[in-house]
Amino acid sequence: MTKDQYGGDVETARTSRKRSRRDAVNYAKSHTYNADYNPKYARIYDKNGNSNDCTNFVSQELWAEGWKMKTRFYRNSSHWWYAGNGWLPDTWSWSWSAADNHRQSTKKAKRAKLVNSYRKMSPGDVLQIDFGGNGVADHTAIVIEVTESNMYVAQHDINDAHRSYRMIRARNPKSRWYLWHYSYGR
């Protein structure tokens, strides 16, 4: 086991479980709403006390389904981890909890590939949104369904287990979109 900054153990590898898209969707649907938040993880808020838990939610799902943690310095986008031992405050890397750091980490680690259409997405993939169109991802959500005419996501902050991709795009016309397609079952 690796030690975190407080001396707690951080699990860094998963060897017995392969990810499945069905498991990813089930996790997302099971932990979307306030009463269903996973109690093993801290809820993340911004400095004004507003929920800022979207990327934490997605990271929980990715960890539960088999992503390996890479520990070290929390401000480095190359590292993705969460540490909680129940008796000290939980701590995590920026890439675990911040949308743009997560985008950078995913890209650097080549854990997924960017695609240019929601039609190339599958349940369990991840959508990130840059609301300002400035190249910085502001929000992260899990894809739970893809149809011929739309895609639906589960997300925190505006807790929703079935939010329409087309509706989000219509309300945010100047946004930039990052559509991450993951490999499952490796």
Side-chain angles (χ1 to χ4, degrees):
M1 280 286 180
T2 301
K3 300 292 183 185
D4 67 18
Q5 67 189 39
Y6 299 111
D9 292 331
V10 177
E11 188 174 349
T12 57
R14 297 278 172 119
T15 56
S16 63
R17 182 156 184 166
K18 291 188 177 183
R19 297 184 68 205
S20 81
R21 294 187 180 280
R22 181 179 298 144
D23 288 341
V25 170
N26 287 342
Y27 185 95
K29 287 181 176 181
S30 297
H31 297 291
T32 300
Y33 298 105
N34 288 338
D36 301 324
Y37 274 41
N38 189 333
K40 294 179 183 177
Y41 299 94
R43 292 168 86 168
I44 298 175
Y45 299 90
D46 68 16
K47 63 184 177 184
N48 298 317
N50 300 312
S51 179
N52 195 18
D53 202 55
C54 62
T55 306
N56 178 36
F57 171 59
V58 170
S59 289
Q60 291 170 31
E61 183 279 319
L62 295 171
W63 170 243
E65 300 308 331
W67 264 32
K68 294 179 182 178
M69 288 191 190
K70 185 174 179 184
T71 62
R72 291 245 192 240
F73 194 59
Y74 71 97
R75 291 184 181 187
N76 186 323
S77 291
S78 296
H79 303 116
W80 178 85
W81 54 268
Y82 186 97
N85 59 20
W87 58 277
L88 288 172
D90 291 3
T91 187
W92 49 84
S93 64
W94 283 4
S95 57
W96 179 280
S97 63
D100 199 60
N101 295 91
H102 187 84
R103 178 188 65 81
Q104 293 173 37
S105 176
T106 301
K107 183 178 178 181
K108 284 180 185 176
K110 299 180 181 174
R111 293 181 182 220
K113 67 178 182 176
L114 283 170
V115 297
N116 61 7
S117 169
Y118 78 87
R119 289 185 176 95
K120 295 179 181 176
M121 300 287 278
S122 299
D125 286 343
V126 172
L127 159 77
Q128 291 190 294
I129 309 166
D130 165 10
F131 290 115
N134 60 359
V136 176
D138 302 300
H139 185 64
T140 308
I142 301 168
V143 176
I144 59 162
E145 181 183 357
V146 180
T147 67
E148 186 62 35
S149 62
N150 206 348
M151 178 171 70
Y152 299 88
V153 298
Q155 62 186 16
H156 276 189
D157 297 339
I158 300 173
N159 297 347
D160 196 330
H162 203 256
R163 174 85 35 146
S164 163
Y165 167 74
R166 287 190 178 271
M167 183 199 66
I168 298 169
R169 281 200 77 116
R171 290 184 179 173
N172 301 282
K174 295 182 180 179
S175 295
R176 190 169 176 188
W177 300 79
Y178 302 97
L179 307 174
W180 294 104
H181 182 67
Y182 291 82
S183 295
Y184 280 73
R186 323 187 246 169

